[in-house]
Amino acid sequence: MKITLDSNDVELAYTTAQRRFIGNLRMNKGFSYGYNKNLKNQLYDGFLGAMGEVVYAKATNSYFNGSYTDKNEFYSDSDFQNNIEIRTQDKKAYNFLLIRPGEKQGRYFLIIKNNEKDYNFTIKGWFLYKDDLPPEKLSNFGYQDRPAVYKIEINELKPMEENVRKNKF
């Protein structure tokens, strides 16, 4: 399923990413799971993630709450109702879904930003994570300073149903 964000959608994602970044700054906390990229990458990766959440909301006509916290608390809710988690990546020669061991159970959607020129995205599909996966699915991709994650190939994802967009309001 292909989705294009308009300027209002991009603004919503950008504002959400800003709030999350500043909230983390106030709490003296960064990205989790051994993420140690520079400031430029942190800002872009946060923005990319928020855009993916807006893409899902637009595709499914779902409420997007733009959640963030700056009260030094752990945010434990899912990205969307019904245990939906969003993973967003730039398009690469080889994309795949990552799920960390012990993460929330639910449906994990992989959303790809199609290019650097505009705000076109493709929802590649979803994977139901309810129990830990076999150890052979674990990889740290050569980053010895980061914990291993489950690698889910795109062909293992279930397609997003075209009828998922509903009049929910």
Side-chain angles (χ1 to χ4, degrees):
M1 176 181 279
K2 296 192 182 300
I3 298 292
T4 299
L5 298 183
D6 63 25
S7 60
N8 293 315
D9 301 326
V10 173
E11 180 181 22
L12 175 59
Y14 188 65
T15 302
T16 300
Q18 286 176 319
R19 288 179 177 159
R20 289 174 179 170
F21 180 80
I22 297 302
N24 283 344
L25 199 62
R26 287 182 178 140
M27 294 184 295
N28 196 29
K29 134 183 176 190
F31 282 71
S32 62
Y33 225 68
Y35 181 101
N36 60 2
K37 293 183 181 178
N38 63 31
L39 178 62
K40 180 179 175 182
N41 288 66
Q42 288 177 39
L43 292 169
Y44 177 71
D45 289 348
F47 180 40
L48 182 64
M51 283 192 292
E53 292 173 23
V54 173
V55 164
Y56 179 84
K58 190 171 185 174
T60 61
N61 199 27
S62 296
Y63 173 71
F64 174 67
N65 70 2
S67 60
Y68 76 101
T69 183
D70 60 3
K71 296 179 181 170
N72 209 15
E73 58 192 22
F74 179 74
Y75 187 78
S76 61
D77 286 346
S78 296
D79 293 332
F80 284 90
Q81 309 86 314
N82 301 317
N83 301 317
I84 303 292
E85 294 291 334
I86 306 300
R87 298 290 190 264
T88 312
Q89 302 171 4
D90 283 319
K91 186 174 185 174
K92 301 177 278 230
Y94 180 45
N95 288 94
F96 44 86
L97 175 65
L98 297 178
I99 300 176
R100 297 171 194 98
E103 279 205 279
K104 301 171 210 151
Q105 295 182 356
R107 289 194 294 169
Y108 283 74
F109 282 79
L110 177 60
I111 299 176
I112 304 295
K113 185 173 188 308
N114 294 332
N115 59 56
E116 294 180 5
K117 299 176 188 170
D118 52 36
Y119 298 97
N120 295 323
F121 292 79
T122 302
I123 301 175
K124 299 303 274 185
W126 59 276
F127 183 86
L128 180 61
Y129 177 65
K130 54 184 179 177
D131 295 307
D132 282 339
L133 300 172
E136 59 268 15
K137 304 254 338 138
L138 284 170
S139 177
N140 68 3
F141 305 98
Y143 295 101
Q144 300 305 319
D145 57 338
R146 293 190 74 177
V149 296
Y150 295 118
K151 176 182 172 187
I152 313 298
E153 301 290 346
I154 286 179
N155 65 4
E156 296 178 76
L157 302 178
K158 294 182 179 168
M160 185 161 169
E161 302 84 11
E162 290 296 326
N163 65 351
V164 73
R165 185 175 170 85
K166 298 177 182 163
N167 293 323
K168 296 183 178 181
F169 303 107

